Amino acid sequence: MIRKRIPRQDDRIILELVDRLLVPFARKTQPDIRIDLRAIRERLKDCSTFVSASGGRAANGFIALRKQREAMYVDMLAVSPRAQGKGIGSRLLEHAERQALLAGRSEVRLWVDDVNAKAQSFYTSRHYIPIQYNETIRCYLMSKQLE
């Protein structure tokens, strides 16, 4: 089940996922980066955030979306290692694409670290293509046109 984020219930799990799965890649270009609950809540403040949870259990993945003028941006997406390979990331990304269409956007964009081959492969297999590279942050901007 995908539902809206409930901050008091979900934010500690989101923090754990970000710290474990996303921050290590960010440290390649920002070695001193630190993340805490307050920083996560601040970052998610301007996002529409959805979590995947099954059977009333704690969240096992999340996606944070940021609506921009030209496209919907996936700000962050992470799935717990023990829940990976079960289609959760795909369902979260499909949910983001539906949200984009509902918001009148025909494109979804996201940044992915150049050293995160697993994430690049995940997005490429879902028809996202790299459209730009930023050397400063060592990330690709990937895009998918929606129909």
Side-chain angles (χ1 to χ4, degrees), residues 4-5 7 38-50 63-68 71-76:
K4 288 278 280 179
R5 162 184 162 247
R38 194 162 115 215
I40 284 293
R41 287 185 170 145
E42 184 63 28
R43 179 142 177 194
L44 295 178
K45 186 171 60 172
D46 295 327
C47 291
S48 296
T49 304
F50 300 90
I63 191 165
L65 307 173
R66 200 177 291 278
K67 188 170 35 173
Q68 300 289 329
M72 182 73 76
Y73 279 80
V74 174
D75 187 55
M76 294 184 286

Side-chain angles (χ1 to χ4, degrees), residues 69-74 93-94 96-98 100-101 104-110 123-124 126-132 141-147:
R69 186 179 307 164
E70 72 282 1
M72 182 73 76
Y73 279 80
V74 174
L93 197 56
E94 290 166 4
E97 292 168 3
R98 283 192 301 277
L101 290 171
R105 305 301 184 274
S106 60
E107 181 183 14
V108 176
R109 292 181 177 180
L110 55 93
Y123 294 120
T124 299
R126 283 143 188 90
H127 310 290
Y128 284 76
I129 58 169
I131 59 171
Q132 180 183 336
L141 178 62
M142 299 184 81
S143 171
K144 180 177 180 179
Q145 294 295 320
L146 306 176
E147 298 178 15

Side-chain angles (χ1 to χ4, degrees), residues 82-117:
R82 62 184 180 278
Q84 289 178 8
K86 298 178 181 177
I88 293 167
S90 295
R91 286 193 294 278
L92 286 166
L93 197 56
E94 290 166 4
H95 187 78
E97 292 168 3
R98 283 192 301 277
Q99 292 297 310
L101 290 171
L102 288 171
R105 305 301 184 274
S106 60
E107 181 183 14
V108 176
R109 292 181 177 180
L110 55 93
W111 289 95
V112 63
D113 295 279
D114 64 0
V115 294
N116 193 344

Side-chain angles (χ1 to χ4, degrees), residues 29-41:
T29 56
Q30 303 170 58
D32 296 331
I33 191 170
R34 298 287 177 259
I35 195 87
D36 60 17
L37 194 56
R38 194 162 115 215
I40 284 293
R41 287 185 170 145

